[in-house]
Amino acid sequence: MNINLTLIGQTLTFFVFVWFCAKYVWPALIAVMVEREKKIADGLQAAERADKDLELAQKKATQELSAAKEQAAAIVDQANKRATQIVDEAKEQAKAEGDRIVTAAKAEVEQETNRAKEALRSQVATLALAGAEKVLGQAIDAKAHNDLVSKLAADL
């Protein structure tokens, strides 16, 4: 009987141990495992969110970089156009200034030519009167001389 009583005592002790473990130890272990599982799941979700945020940040950075490059290209293009425009305006101003100088020079040459013609007319008239005076053998008075010179200069 000692074997049977020992076996029953061991069985009873085993059931008490299982009941004690189920009542006090197992819930504590389950709670720790659930908490650990929750922490792991939260960590994985946070990692996934971080990956998504990183991917979005990279896309946004790429878009911003592209926009900045486009803006820089537009600014450079605009600067080149403005530079070309300034050069064209300077060329036009230089051409206008050159035309003005040429016109002024032509007018001055024309004036000098007219002055020279008038001077020559006056000298020719004086010479003609001097020749006529010698041919006629008499002197012409100054007033008549000036009237004749003016008439001859106008006719020439």
Side-chain angles (χ1 to χ4, degrees), residues 35-113:
E35 185 180 332
R36 179 74 175 150
E37 184 180 345
K38 185 179 177 187
K39 284 182 181 179
I40 291 171
D42 289 345
L44 290 175
Q45 287 177 351
E48 287 176 11
R49 280 192 308 256
D51 285 342
K52 288 179 184 177
D53 290 346
L54 177 63
E55 187 177 323
L56 289 174
Q58 286 175 341
K59 285 182 182 178
K60 187 174 180 179
T62 303
Q63 290 173 348
E64 290 290 329
L65 185 61
S66 297
K69 284 181 181 179
E70 289 174 8
Q71 187 177 11
I75 290 171
V76 168
D77 187 42
Q78 188 178 22
N80 286 336
K81 286 180 183 177
R82 181 64 183 141
T84 303
Q85 183 182 10
I86 289 171
V87 168
D88 290 343
E89 288 173 1
K91 284 180 183 179
E92 289 175 13
Q93 288 176 350
K95 184 177 180 187
E97 182 68 17
D99 290 345
R100 186 188 63 76
I101 291 171
V102 167
T103 303
K106 284 181 181 179
E108 189 176 333
V109 166
E110 185 69 30
Q111 287 176 352
E112 289 296 320
T113 304

Side-chain angles (χ1 to χ4, degrees), residues 16-33:
V16 170
F17 178 72
V18 169
W19 173 80
F20 179 77
C21 285
K23 180 84 174 165
Y24 296 106
V25 176
W26 191 254
L29 287 175
I30 294 294
V32 169
M33 287 192 307

Side-chain angles (χ1 to χ4, degrees), residues 118-129:
E118 287 299 321
L120 285 175
R121 281 183 190 147
S122 175
Q123 288 176 358
V124 166
T126 303
L127 287 174
L129 282 177

